[in-house]
């Protein structure tokens, strides 16, 4: 076996990675263009004024930004609780139908988002539930549970069960064992899962369009700008903010879980 | 406290039930309940004259799916999903293969991040990036002009079906955006499958006189197949259900997702919208069953 990659393979891999990364760079470039009516390339001139415009002259950004953060925070909290419970139950127990249950928990990301969205929407209709922040959170938490579940489950599988038994043998009760033996071991997986869930919720648009009614989260604001653009570079400025808000948690999650396990690639 | 924890120790089933209860109730009631509500709606129908939904059991709404325009929508979506899946497998392979077999230490971590970052970065931002790229006055037109390929681009756009007034309003554009956005979902499971190919199989194959090409075709590729299938679950399912990409980049002929969105929104025909969503569910159900048989779930 060759221990060096052939040039064809290297070229293929490099080209593939470039395809994945170059488009995002353009978002940054266009935030500085002086042209606001079209996507002219190369930009006719460069300016930093759009950052100031976004901050001072566009109050319509703040409401959606605030709503997105609020929804993501609450959905993440709910997902942490329910996802961890589900992972704890399914990692230790053996019972009939367990495989079907694990499939059930990944279903919200296995089925297309539009199905989740319209299903929730029709359920709200049937129950005469008016749209509110909580209807958005309900949808987001449902698929955020999966992300936490995947991360924590992977960690539970690596925990040595001898340690739990040793703790019990030494006289700790179940809650002490959880507090002093289990929790410290799963803490970083919880943090990672929570960050990924936050990033996922902050960025979600497909389910949200069905559960938000007239409310605007940041992604919905952006979608409206994409369909009916006003000041195009301002959209780029917001896009950069979104990139920052989602990248930082993802990087942290990666460093928290990098030893030996991958944060589930099919996270969404 | 002690008594409770003793009970849990003696009856582990009780603990499992207590742990599982709340999340199961959430997924069961909120999610499965909603799905069933949706399914129920698909058996109602919309009265054409009054625009009121008639709450009686009927299969006529499913019958509407077989009208030619709706069949075309379904066919168009499935074809797009298939092409996107195949192309992404081809593009993903060198990246996954290099990362699994040759990258070590820092390079490997870098590869992993290089795939994870685009995967997790904002969906809308990525779509928006392609709006910039594909615009008539955008970078592709500029690059094609600079390389003297402007004529090629124009010729491409005059092609029937896949062409359009600009890349931004053509199936070529829709395809590129789908491909770009779902590609990482193909790379990761494929890489996971390739990592699991035992090294001594490859050495054994070489010892037994196979050329690298033969080893690749008869040892590595079959073992990587579950990874491709696992990845294709994502690329296929995500393409089937997306309605934002074809709305922003593409022409006016709808995909399943757009049809669902318009039907439940402006048209107010929830039954038909519900029936439409059963199509991707059915396709994915069959697909998942086949994938499970091929052992693809181990590569997820």
């Amino acid at each position: 076996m060759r221990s060096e990659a052939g040039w064809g393979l290297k070229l293929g891999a490099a080209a593939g990675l470039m395809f994945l990364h170059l488009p995002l760079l353009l978002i940054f470039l266009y935030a500085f263009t002086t042209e606001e009516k079209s996507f002219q390339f190369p930009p006719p001139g460069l300016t930093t004024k759009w950052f100031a415009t976004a901050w001072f002259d566009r109050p319509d950004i703040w409401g959606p930004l605030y709503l997105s953060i609020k929804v993501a925070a609450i959905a993440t909290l709910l997902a942490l609780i329910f996802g961890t419970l589900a992972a704890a139950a399914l990692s230790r127990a053996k019972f009939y139908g367990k495989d079907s249950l694990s499939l059930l928990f990944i279903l919200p990301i296995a089925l297309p988002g539009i199905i989740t969205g319209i299903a929730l929407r029709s359920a709200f209709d049937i129950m005469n539930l008016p749209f509110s922040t909580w209807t958005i959170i309900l949808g987001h938490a449902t698929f955020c549970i999966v992300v936490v579940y995947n991360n924590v489950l992977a960690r539970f599988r690596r925990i040595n069960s001898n340690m739990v038994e040793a703790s019990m043998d030494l006289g700790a009760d179940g809650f002490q064992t959880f507090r002093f033996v289990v929790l410290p071991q799963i803490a970083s997986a919880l943090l990672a899962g929570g960050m990924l869930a936050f990033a996922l919720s902050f960025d979600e648009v497909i389910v949200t369009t069905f559960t938000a009614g007239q409310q605007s989260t940041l992604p919905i604001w952006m979608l409206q700008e994409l369909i009916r653009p006003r000041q195009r570079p301002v959209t780029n400025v917001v896009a950069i903010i979104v990139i920052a808000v989602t990248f930082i948690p993802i990087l942290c999650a990666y460093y928290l879980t990098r030893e030996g396990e991958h944060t589930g690639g099919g996270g969404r | 406290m002690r008594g409770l924890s003793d009970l849990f120790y003696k009856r582990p089933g009780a603990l499992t039930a207590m742990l599982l209860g709340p999340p199961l109730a959430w997924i069961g009631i909120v999610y499965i309940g909603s799905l069933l509500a949706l399914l129920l709606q698909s058996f109602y129908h919309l009265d054409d004259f009054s625009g009121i939904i008639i709450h009686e059991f009927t299969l006529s709404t499913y019958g509407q799916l077989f009208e030619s325009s709706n069949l075309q929508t379904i066919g168009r979506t499935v074809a797009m999903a298939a092409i996107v899946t195949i192309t992404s497998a081809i593009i993903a392979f060198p990246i996954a293969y290099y990362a699994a077999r040759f990258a070590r230490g820092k390079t490997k971590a870098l590869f992993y991040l290089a795939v994870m970052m685009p995967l997790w970065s904002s969906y809308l931002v990525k779509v928006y990036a392609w709006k910039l790229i594909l615009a008539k006055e955008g970078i592709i037109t500029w690059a094609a002009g600079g390389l003297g390929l402007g004529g090629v681009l124009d010729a491409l756009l005059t092609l029937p079906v896949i062409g359009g007034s600009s890349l931004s309003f053509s199936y070529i554009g829709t395809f590129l955006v789908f491909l770009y956005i779902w590609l990482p979902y193909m790379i990761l499971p494929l890489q996971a499958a390739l990592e699991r190919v035992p090294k001594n199989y490859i050495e054994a194959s070489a010892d037994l006189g196979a050329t690298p090409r033969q080893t690749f075709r008869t040892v590595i590729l079959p073992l990587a197949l579950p990874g491709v299938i696992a990845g294709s679950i994502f690329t296929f399912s995500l393409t089937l259900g997306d309605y934002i990409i074809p709305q922003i980049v593409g022409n006016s002929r709808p995909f399943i997702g757009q049809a669902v969105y318009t039907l439940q929104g402006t048209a107010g025909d929830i039954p038909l919208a519900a029936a439409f969503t059963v199509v991707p569910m059915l396709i994915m159900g069959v697909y998942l069953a086949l994938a499970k048989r091929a052992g693809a779930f181990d590569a997820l």
Side-chain angles (χ1 to χ4, degrees):
Chain A
M1 183 192 139
R2 290 170 300 173
S3 55
E4 262 299 300
W7 63 268
L9 179 61
K10 278 184 181 163
L11 200 70
L17 286 183
M18 290 219 328
F19 174 65
L20 278 177
H21 286 269
L22 287 184
L24 285 178
L25 291 180
L26 277 183
I27 293 279
F28 286 88
L29 175 66
Y30 275 98
F32 297 99
T33 182
T34 48
E35 169 65 47
E36 65 171 281
K37 295 270 191 295
S38 78
F39 297 125
Q40 191 188 340
F41 190 92
L46 296 175
T47 169
T48 53
K49 74 170 177 176
W50 302 113
F51 287 84
T53 310
W55 186 272
F56 296 111
D57 304 336
R58 294 289 296 266
D60 54 315
I61 299 172
W62 295 102
L65 179 64
Y66 172 70
L67 182 63
S68 278
I69 292 173
K70 184 176 157 192
V71 165
I74 301 175
T76 302
L77 192 70
L78 288 171
L80 278 174
I81 297 167
F82 290 104
T84 309
L85 285 176
L90 291 179
S91 68
R92 54 193 301 284
K94 287 187 183 67
F95 54 88
Y96 179 74
K98 186 181 151 181
D99 285 347
S100 320
L101 269 187
S102 3
L103 192 65
L104 191 64
F105 280 107
I106 62 164
L107 206 58
I109 54 162
L111 283 181
I114 191 166
I115 295 180
T116 311
I118 189 177
L120 286 170
R121 169 95 174 231
S122 59
F124 296 154
D125 277 352
I126 290 172
M127 294 187 297
N128 277 325
L129 207 65
F131 293 116
S132 70
T133 312
W134 289 100
T135 52
I136 307 180
I137 292 170
L138 209 66
H140 282 204
T142 304
F143 54 76
C144 285
I145 289 175
V146 188
V147 181
V148 176
Y149 167 79
N150 275 340
N151 265 276
V152 179
L153 188 68
R155 181 61 58 87
F156 267 124
R157 283 191 181 138
R158 286 198 307 149
I159 291 184
N160 194 338
S161 62
N162 291 339
M163 289 175 79
V164 174
E165 279 171 24
S167 158
M168 304 285 248
D169 288 347
L170 291 169
D173 63 31
F175 300 98
Q176 287 171 322
T177 304
F178 177 77
R179 168 72 186 82
F180 295 109
V181 178
V182 178
L183 194 60
Q185 296 194 72
I186 63 166
S188 64
L190 276 179
L191 200 56
M195 286 183 174
L196 291 178
F198 187 91
L200 186 54
S201 164
F202 188 78
D203 173 44
E204 214 289 333
V205 64
I206 293 194
V207 177
T208 318
T209 47
F210 288 94
T211 57
Q214 297 300 313
Q215 308 163 85
S216 259
T217 61
L218 202 59
I220 290 187
W221 177 88
M222 216 162 132
L223 182 61
Q224 283 156 356
E225 292 293 310
L226 284 192
I227 295 166
R228 275 176 228 88
R230 272 184 289 174
Q231 296 165 305
R232 296 180 196 222
V234 170
T235 315
N236 286 67
V237 171
V238 175
I240 291 175
I241 297 169
V242 172
I243 290 177
V245 172
T246 48
F247 265 37
I248 294 164
I250 290 154
L251 262 183
C252 294
Y254 169 72
Y255 282 107
L256 286 169
T257 54
R258 66 182 157 165
E259 283 138 27
E261 69 188 54
H262 289 321
T263 50
R268 320 189 134 174
Chain B
M1 283 294 251
R2 194 94 207 173
L4 196 58
S5 101
D6 281 350
L7 171 76
F8 286 155
Y9 189 74
K10 278 182 239 149
R11 307 262 323 260
L15 178 58
T16 305
M18 216 181 91
L19 290 173
L20 201 53
L24 195 61
W26 182 289
I27 297 286
I29 295 169
V30 175
Y31 191 65
I32 303 298
S34 303
L35 283 182
L36 290 178
L38 180 67
L39 204 60
L40 186 69
Q41 303 245 21
S42 69
F43 292 105
Y44 299 155
H45 74 279
L46 186 81
D47 190 287
D48 284 340
F49 298 108
S50 60
I52 293 170
I53 294 166
I54 312 291
H55 292 247
E56 282 166 9
F57 179 84
T58 170
L59 287 174
S60 68
T61 305
Y62 281 99
Q64 280 176 269
L65 284 183
F66 293 94
E67 287 166 14
S68 77
S69 67
N70 292 339
L71 276 182
Q72 276 175 12
T73 303
I74 295 168
R76 184 182 299 139
T77 313
V78 173
M80 178 62 89
I83 297 170
V84 167
T85 299
I86 292 166
T87 319
S88 63
I90 293 169
I91 297 184
F93 206 93
I95 303 175
Y97 192 66
Y98 189 91
R101 295 230 74 88
F102 300 106
R104 292 282 168 269
K106 272 220 155 66
T107 323
K108 195 172 188 108
L110 208 67
F111 254 87
Y112 184 67
L113 271 183
V115 178
M116 283 305 273
M117 284 316 227
L119 172 73
W120 279 95
S121 58
S122 166
Y123 166 85
L124 267 184
V125 170
K126 286 184 283 189
V127 180
Y128 183 44
W130 280 89
K131 190 87 188 161
L132 302 177
I133 294 170
L134 298 172
K136 209 179 186 80
E137 67 277 13
I139 189 167
I140 289 193
T141 312
W142 174 79
L147 294 169
L149 295 172
V152 179
L153 186 63
D154 289 338
L156 208 59
L157 285 172
T158 52
L159 288 176
V161 185
I162 60 169
S165 63
S166 83
L167 282 172
S168 204
F169 296 98
S170 70
Y171 281 145
I172 306 176
T174 321
F175 162 74
L176 281 172
V177 184
F178 273 133
L179 179 66
Y180 174 76
I181 294 191
W182 309 139
L183 183 60
Y185 292 87
M186 180 60 90
I187 298 175
L188 289 172
L190 187 53
Q191 186 186 339
L194 285 168
E195 303 251 4
R196 275 202 289 261
V197 177
K199 220 175 173 171
N200 45 14
Y201 280 27
I202 294 164
E203 282 162 10
S205 166
D207 288 348
L208 292 169
T211 61
R213 188 177 294 268
Q214 282 174 320
T215 304
F216 181 78
R217 236 195 35 237
T218 56
V219 179
I220 298 174
L221 216 51
L223 287 171
L225 197 63
V228 175
I229 298 173
S232 71
I233 294 173
F234 290 109
T235 54
F236 205 80
S237 155
L238 291 166
T239 311
L240 280 186
D242 196 279
Y243 75 93
I244 292 192
I245 293 171
Q247 185 188 351
I248 292 177
V249 176
N251 56 37
S252 53
R253 280 164 292 188
F255 284 71
I256 291 178
Q258 287 162 288
V260 170
Y261 190 72
T262 341
L263 281 170
Q264 65 86 36
T266 42
D269 191 349
I270 301 256
L272 187 55
F276 248 119
T277 59
V278 173
V279 175
M281 277 198 261
L282 220 59
I283 296 174
M284 285 322 291
V286 173
Y287 205 104
L288 285 174
L290 290 176
K292 192 165 183 174
R293 189 175 291 175
F297 284 171
D298 303 330
L300 279 178

